[in-house]
Amino acid sequence: MKEIMQKMRAEAARVLSSGEVDLVLGWEKGDLWWQSYPVFIENEKKAELLTWDLFCVPNLAKYLLEEIWHKKRVALFFKGCDALGFNQLMQDKRVDREKAFIFAVPCSGLVDPQKVERAGLHQGLLRVERLGDELTFVYKDREKKTAAPWFYYDKCLTCRYPNPVVFDFMLGEPVPVNPRERFTAVKELEGQNVDARFQYWQRQFSRCIRCFACRNVCPACSCRECIFDLTSPRWLGKATELSENQFYHITRAFHMAGRCVDCGECARVCPVQIPLTSLNRKLIKDIDELYGPYDAGVDPQKVPPLVTFNPGDPAAFLESKGV
Amino acid sequence: MQEIQKARLPQLWEYLAKKAPLYLPQQEDGVINFAPWQEGARVKLESLNTVLPPKSIVFPQWETYLHFTQKARELKLTPTKEPEGSYILFGVRPCDVAGITVLDRVFLQDPVDVFYESRRRCTIISLACNEPDISCFCSAFGLEPGFAPAADIMLWDGDKFLLWQSLTEKGETLTHSLTDLLEVPTPAETESVQCLRETAATVQEQKWGLDGVKERAKDMFNAPIWDSLYRRCLGCGICTYLCPTCHCFDIGDFSRGERGERFRCWDSCMYKDFTLMASGENPRPTQKERVRQRFMHKLSYFPAQHGLYGCVGCGRCVRKCPVNIDITQVIKEAGGSISCA
């Protein structure tokens, strides 16, 4: 990872000094071991701030929507999941491919701080390093080595596009693609009866505090004005009453249908661990089964199944009602 | 000082829950929050901070305070009954107790908020931290991870038992009713409290010096830090809703036909509609002004108004911000010094 980080800094300095771009969007290391956050670099001398480590999880693509960058040429770094989000923004005509210079960073998985904490490895931790498939947890006076996948985000373990599908310049070598089955949790839920499923989701949604982090981080949530922010009329009441929470999550999920790139960011940022991945993947699975396999964000030229109509499209929902 | 064997805690909880609603940290679907105790509850005392602070009990995310009906020209208003205040909060960490005292400054000063005042009649049983997290910084604000002066009863974790000390008359009364469950600790056990307090204070590695921070923060309105810090902010409400001291609220109505209810609910200065006026004017037009507001409020405006910082160093916002916006960086910018033990 250090080698790629050096390349990142060199390339960022190069594109800024040559005037190819006005801004570089990357990640910077914070004071604490899990902190690697988005950084905005406009001066080549600041390229040294860039980092690439096991915690560079935030997707940078959505910052392109901010008005202050609209007229700028921006270079940015994408992991596989980030690239899918960018393509979705492009498909939604919200970003301009021509104004972005994309560095691809193949990614074999990032570390979930909550898993580190659950394993009790967080106290006194200074940093985490990776060599091959092995992680080293570094403390003041000791080290601990362990198999890396144990600590990867669930979304990384099921990632099918670790190598960015859109880029101008590739940093590093493509990594092997070896995803675990992603519909396991969905199938488990599908196996339950309707009452059990309803109760399950009621319990999940009842925890929602309506912080909107899931929406704000989502690369497919790019409406200029969100229905949930409207004050007149106020479609979504501000009280976190269960039915309002359900209205928020279910409406959002349907709006994501056929557009969710399965980057898993919504579930990552949720402070109360609502399993939004299962909700979105249920819709992905249904679309796959009804209209054939489709992965949002992979090919922005491909027509998404839910924005087109074929006479042969299945209409079981009509037939079963006897309409 | 007294003590209770950990093995007898379920008995204690069962007894307390019969006296009054008992809220303690419980795990559901992997999330630890304060919830009412019931038979078979998955109590998680050992976890440091719950996801939501106990603010969510003394100042719930939303509550109805008025019912109304309107027929023709007749409007009938029925205030909601004041909430029940005789409940027990068990296992509250010292930073969260301090968070409640910050809320007190807001809601108990004139005009007193009657709903808050009623809920504030609760009994708070605090549990000292033996080993604060790397992202905890309560000591920066003169708080002690091993002691909560504003609690009614203070507990220290002595591994197999909890040491028990009542700090108020209310705490004393409750303690007296528990003679069957509490025991007298050995002198060595009693002494260990001092040791636990000191160890907790040293484990919090970072030693903060906040001299002059609130004065300097006052002059930070036009500081360059806001220009860089806000850019990565997602504008979500995690930092405010998980904060034990954030207390801004909004008022709204549910209504259907002739009847409805008026509620109040948490609101967040991170949201763009927080300061949006009916005319369409917004005095905090971008995320920069919103981010600045949150930190200035905690470090400058609140201290100026109430004499104490609006942050208790629980570290929730530090841990949960999706893009690692970190208040300790702002404190350093305001001249807060930091050294490692």
Side-chain angles (χ1 to χ4, degrees):
Chain A
M1 294 188 108
K2 277 188 184 140
E3 206 177 300
I4 288 182
M5 185 168 82
Q6 294 308 331
K7 277 193 207 165
M8 271 181 170
R9 294 175 176 177
E11 285 299 319
R14 184 181 66 76
V15 291
L16 281 168
S17 61
S18 69
E20 276 172 73
V21 302
D22 307 302
L23 172 80
V24 172
L25 256 168
W27 302 277
E28 178 184 5
K29 196 66 198 159
D31 295 335
L32 300 170
W33 56 270
W34 75 85
Q35 295 179 327
S36 298
Y37 49 76
V39 63
F40 302 75
I41 297 177
E42 289 167 281
N43 184 330
E44 67 201 72
K45 291 192 187 103
K46 293 269 176 77
E48 292 299 307
L49 290 178
L50 288 169
T51 196
W52 171 239
D53 71 359
L54 292 160
F55 303 99
C56 293
V57 60
N59 183 350
L60 306 169
K62 211 176 165 184
Y63 290 107
L64 294 173
L65 299 183
E66 296 299 325
E67 212 173 305
I68 49 170
W69 311 126
H70 280 182
K71 294 218 165 66
K72 309 250 181 178
R73 290 160 302 154
V74 182
L76 62 178
F77 298 94
F78 282 165
K79 309 178 293 296
C81 50
D82 305 337
L84 298 174
F86 176 83
N87 269 347
Q88 187 57 42
L89 286 167
M90 220 160 50
Q91 186 149 43
D92 293 337
K93 309 266 187 292
R94 294 291 272 121
V95 294
D96 185 349
R97 177 70 184 89
E98 298 308 311
K99 288 210 189 83
F101 189 89
I102 300 167
F103 292 108
V105 193
C107 169
S108 34
L110 297 180
V111 168
D112 182 347
Q114 287 197 49
K115 290 191 179 179
V116 176
E117 201 172 320
R118 277 203 292 270
L121 295 174
H122 60 298
Q123 285 294 11
L125 184 58
L126 297 176
R127 60 181 188 276
V128 187
E129 290 166 358
R130 177 172 62 198
L131 197 67
D133 258 350
E134 191 178 68
L135 294 183
T136 306
F137 292 83
V138 182
Y139 305 85
K140 214 191 262 178
D141 47 6
R142 68 196 162 97
E143 283 187 2
K144 185 183 164 57
K145 289 188 191 304
T146 171
W150 282 102
F151 294 96
Y152 286 161
Y153 281 103
D154 287 345
K155 65 177 190 160
C156 297
L157 295 171
T158 54
C159 174
R160 295 166 316 131
Y161 297 96
N163 300 301
V165 293
V166 54
F167 61 88
D168 296 297
F169 191 92
M170 177 81 115
L171 298 171
E173 297 296 316
V175 296
V177 185
N178 193 13
R180 291 186 191 168
E181 161 66 39
R182 63 174 173 156
F183 292 124
T184 310
V186 174
K187 285 177 187 161
E188 212 169 280
L189 281 167
E190 283 175 339
Q192 297 176 13
N193 67 40
V194 69
D195 289 336
R197 290 201 306 264
F198 190 63
Q199 273 172 22
Y200 172 82
W201 284 110
Q202 276 199 320
R203 207 170 71 235
Q204 308 305 321
F205 294 146
S206 68
R207 282 201 304 276
C208 178
I209 56 168
R210 227 81 77 59
C211 66
F212 297 110
C214 52
R215 174 196 67 179
N216 292 12
V217 83
C218 175
C221 263
S222 60
C223 291
R224 286 185 172 80
E225 180 117 54
C226 174
I227 173 181
F228 303 121
D229 282 341
L230 287 180
T231 51
S232 179
R234 193 178 274 291
W235 298 103
L236 178 69
K238 275 191 176 180
T240 44
E241 205 267 332
L242 177 60
S243 66
E244 300 268 28
N245 288 353
Q246 286 176 320
F247 168 63
Y248 167 63
H249 285 288
I250 294 169
T251 306
R252 208 180 81 81
F254 272 103
H255 197 189
M256 293 302 112
R259 302 172 58 254
C260 168
V261 300
D262 201 12
C263 70
E265 277 290 87
C266 49
R268 173 184 75 90
V269 301
C270 179
V272 293
Q273 294 179 47
I274 299 173
L276 295 164
T277 310
S278 294
L279 191 63
N280 291 325
R281 281 181 177 168
K282 167 63 180 161
L283 290 168
I284 290 173
K285 184 167 174 281
D286 280 357
I287 291 171
D288 280 0
E289 286 166 4
L290 287 166
Y291 306 106
Y294 173 75
D295 285 341
V298 173
D299 177 4
Q301 305 310 321
K302 203 169 164 182
V303 180
L306 294 191
V307 300
T308 185
F309 174 74
N310 291 317
D313 280 347
F317 57 97
L318 291 177
E319 287 148 23
S320 65
K321 291 266 185 283
V323 175
Chain B
M1 180 150 326
Q2 286 168 294
E3 71 175 28
I4 181 162
Q5 299 301 320
K6 279 192 183 168
R8 300 185 78 177
L9 282 173
Q11 247 176 293
L12 171 75
W13 296 328
E14 195 180 341
Y15 177 79
L16 290 176
K18 272 184 200 146
K19 284 173 86 86
L22 170 69
Y23 293 86
L24 26 63
Q26 293 176 45
Q27 185 166 18
E28 190 189 70
D29 292 310
V31 181
I32 301 172
N33 270 325
F34 280 88
W37 185 88
Q38 49 191 354
E39 191 82 42
R42 294 185 66 194
V43 180
K44 288 278 175 185
L45 278 191
E46 67 280 11
S47 72
L48 284 172
N49 281 148
T50 45
V51 174
L52 284 171
K55 165 178 92 173
S56 61
I57 313 294
V58 290
F59 172 47
Q61 183 156 13
W62 71 281
E63 61 186 327
T64 298
Y65 66 88
L66 195 68
H67 285 85
F68 55 84
T69 49
Q70 188 167 25
K71 278 185 189 159
R73 291 194 165 188
E74 194 192 344
L75 178 66
K76 198 177 151 213
L77 305 176
T78 319
T80 309
K81 211 171 127 258
E82 274 176 33
E84 178 60 52
S86 64
Y87 58 92
I88 300 167
L89 279 174
F90 190 102
V92 183
R93 295 295 177 172
C95 55
D96 283 342
V97 177
I100 293 173
T101 61
V102 170
L103 298 177
D104 288 350
R105 300 287 176 125
V106 178
F107 292 119
L108 296 183
Q109 71 172 11
D110 199 40
V112 170
D113 184 296
V114 290
F115 278 35
Y116 182 85
E117 186 188 36
S118 178
R119 283 208 178 82
R120 195 56 184 87
R121 290 193 199 110
C122 64
T123 305
I124 299 179
I125 303 179
S126 177
L127 175 60
C129 301
N130 282 6
E131 201 179 0
D133 192 76
I134 187 178
S135 51
C136 293
F137 56 106
C138 67
S139 60
F141 301 101
L143 305 170
E144 202 190 317
F147 190 66
D152 295 298
I153 292 168
M154 191 71 223
L155 307 177
W156 291 270
D157 191 339
D159 194 25
K160 295 232 164 19
F161 53 88
L162 295 177
L163 285 152
W164 181 293
Q165 171 86 60
S166 51
L167 305 179
T168 62
E169 216 177 296
K170 200 172 8 175
E172 192 67 23
T173 312
L174 182 64
T175 304
H176 277 309
S177 71
L178 299 169
T179 40
D180 293 349
L181 289 160
L182 300 178
E183 298 165 39
V184 178
T186 64
E189 284 167 353
T190 308
E191 266 173 47
S192 70
V193 165
Q194 198 51 36
C195 180
L196 285 173
R197 276 175 77 165
E198 278 165 23
T199 318
T202 21
V203 168
Q204 202 159 45
E205 280 187 14
Q206 302 179 326
K207 299 281 168 248
W208 284 88
L210 255 65
D211 291 343
V213 164
K214 53 177 181 263
E215 290 76 23
R216 268 192 296 272
K218 204 167 60 188
D219 299 324
M220 277 179 68
F221 195 79
N222 292 314
I225 184 175
W226 312 123
D227 288 309
S228 52
L229 202 56
Y230 89 92
R231 284 181 176 179
R232 67 177 190 262
C233 178
L234 299 175
C236 78
I238 291 180
C239 53
T240 49
Y241 286 178
L242 266 47
C243 177
T245 73
C246 273
H247 50 263
C248 289
F249 60 84
D250 194 5
I251 287 169
D253 289 345
F254 284 126
S255 60
R256 181 162 293 173
E258 294 170 337
R259 45 179 72 237
E261 53 190 80
R262 175 152 288 190
F263 61 87
R264 77 159 167 202
C265 58
W266 296 353
D267 203 353
S268 171
C269 57
M270 292 293 107
Y271 298 162
K272 67 178 173 197
D273 71 352
F274 184 76
T275 45
L276 182 65
M277 297 178 184
S279 64
E281 171 66 18
N282 195 335
R284 292 186 204 139
T286 74
Q287 206 58 28
K288 176 181 159 180
E289 293 82 19
R290 297 168 206 145
V291 167
R292 174 173 63 194
Q293 167 63 24
R294 179 172 144 76
F295 291 123
M296 290 292 280
H297 194 198
K298 303 247 174 264
L299 302 174
S300 173
Y301 310 151
F302 198 88
Q305 219 174 343
H306 299 282
L308 75 173
Y309 284 104
C311 173
V312 293
C314 72
R316 283 186 180 85
C317 59
V318 177
R319 284 190 292 278
K320 290 288 187 180
C321 174
V323 290
N324 307 142
I325 291 180
D326 185 336
I327 189 170
T328 64
Q329 287 187 344
V330 182
I331 297 173
K332 283 179 211 163
E333 196 71 24
S337 63
I338 189 171
S339 58
C340 279

